[in-house]
Amino acid sequence: MRRRLILGNWKMHKTVSEAEATVQDLLDRMKDYRGPYEWGIAPPFTAISALRTLREGTSMLLGAQNCHPEPQGAFTGEISVTMLQDLGVDFVIVGHSERRHIFGEDDAFIARKVRAVLDHGMTPVLCIGERLEEREQGHTEAVVKHQLLGSLAHVSPEEIPRVVLAYEPVWAIGTGKTATPETAQEVHAFIRTVLRDLGADAEEVTILYGGSVKPENVTNLTRMPDIDGALVGGASLQSQSFAHIINAAFPNA
Ligand code: PEP
């Protein structure tokens, strides 16, 4: 059975005290949750340690938004997988479109991160997704396939189910434009065919949707057979809306 996940990506938001206040409120709201979804937050690096203490004994997963693949070295400003493992991090977002398009990360670099996260016992949450012009030119499947093959280059077919995928069409991130459930489902189903072609047990791979997920649209998105949860940016910043999203996700497990 593949995992069902609702994960929040806080991006570059919240000081340590703001992060603590939000998570404390979120934990209060989620304490009686018995649904099928696992849930977690990827705060900025600066708040990971404080949230580790707060989430102790709870079901909240703790994530990081990025990593460097090397365990240590002369990489000013970077954070290694070893450091994240030391902080008790459960999952690491890799290949987010903001990393790809603002910071110029390519599939080869992302593939090294995926490998390093797996090697350190954490879950990579690998983001893939096309830009608006690529969709308009009919290149969505080619782009997604290319990103998948490149980013999974160092993962064996047997290990692929340890990677969580997040399909995030770039045109839907932070724009308020959500892909329709049917559009997202089509790409998720395509992703499973690519994984199958790679020799993986595609039915065991968790594939999240990301891009302007909100309490109002999460039910219909997660109702789709190949959408196993969501990666949520803006709407995860408020505890009320994030708790609402987790509770409204379709209980299809
Ligand atoms: C994201 O940052 O991964 C994301 C999906 O953002 P938003 O929900 O704000 O579109």
Side-chain angles (χ1 to χ4, degrees):
M1 276 291 283
R2 53 194 191 238
R3 299 169 76 182
R4 312 277 158 173
L5 288 163
I6 306 283
L7 302 177
N9 170 19
W10 279 359
K11 312 193 186 196
M12 198 173 70
H13 292 285
K14 295 189 191 287
T15 62
V16 173
S17 58
E18 289 166 347
E20 286 175 321
T22 306
V23 163
Q24 190 54 66
D25 191 59
L26 188 54
L27 288 169
D28 290 344
R29 291 174 187 274
M30 294 304 298
K31 66 179 186 309
D32 297 324
Y33 178 72
R34 298 285 176 271
Y37 290 81
E38 297 176 76
W39 63 275
I41 292 286
F45 292 124
T46 44
I48 290 176
S49 188
L51 297 194
R52 177 191 198 177
T53 307
L54 269 188
R55 69 90 185 238
E56 216 168 286
T58 76
S59 55
M60 177 183 139
L61 299 171
L62 186 57
Q65 299 171 21
N66 186 25
C67 66
H68 193 281
E70 293 298 324
Q72 62 199 23
F75 302 104
T76 301
E78 292 293 313
I79 305 286
S80 77
V81 281
T82 319
M83 295 166 185
L84 297 176
Q85 183 184 35
D86 183 46
L87 287 176
V89 161
D90 302 300
F91 68 94
V92 184
I93 299 171
V94 292
H96 190 278
S97 66
E98 287 150 18
R99 300 298 320 170
R100 290 176 186 268
H101 301 305
I102 302 174
F103 299 101
E105 293 188 8
D106 61 13
D107 288 319
F109 190 42
I110 292 163
R112 290 174 56 210
K113 296 184 188 208
V114 172
R115 184 69 258 163
V117 173
L118 286 173
D119 287 344
H120 287 76
M122 299 175 286
T123 299
V125 178
L126 170 63
C127 301
I128 52 176
E130 80 287 2
R131 306 171 91 154
L132 183 59
E133 59 272 27
E134 292 165 334
R135 171 159 287 270
E136 286 173 346
Q137 289 162 10
H139 296 156
T140 297
E141 292 193 352
V143 169
V144 163
K145 183 173 180 178
H146 190 266
Q147 290 174 336
L148 271 175
L149 298 186
S151 305
L152 293 174
H154 307 313
V155 182
S156 69
E158 295 72 31
E159 289 175 305
I160 288 178
R162 289 178 54 201
V163 178
V164 169
L165 296 173
Y167 169 59
E168 300 207 304
V170 179
W171 46 271
I173 297 180
T175 58
K177 284 187 208 155
T178 322
T180 64
E182 293 73 20
T183 301
Q185 165 60 28
E186 212 170 277
V187 182
H188 281 232
F190 172 73
I191 290 169
R192 280 196 215 283
T193 67
V194 177
L195 298 175
R196 225 167 272 131
D197 290 346
L198 282 172
D201 186 351
E203 295 307 313
E204 291 298 308
V205 180
T206 298
I207 310 177
L208 311 180
Y209 168 78
S212 298
V213 172
K214 302 183 206 63
E216 307 82 63
N217 59 27
V218 70
T219 315
N220 284 335
L221 285 160
T222 49
R223 200 189 291 278
M224 293 291 149
D226 288 299
I227 301 183
D228 305 315
L231 181 55
V232 186
S236 70
L237 290 169
Q238 307 294 331
S239 48
Q240 188 180 8
S241 67
F242 192 55
H244 195 156
I245 287 172
I246 302 166
N247 280 292
F250 189 65
N252 56 350

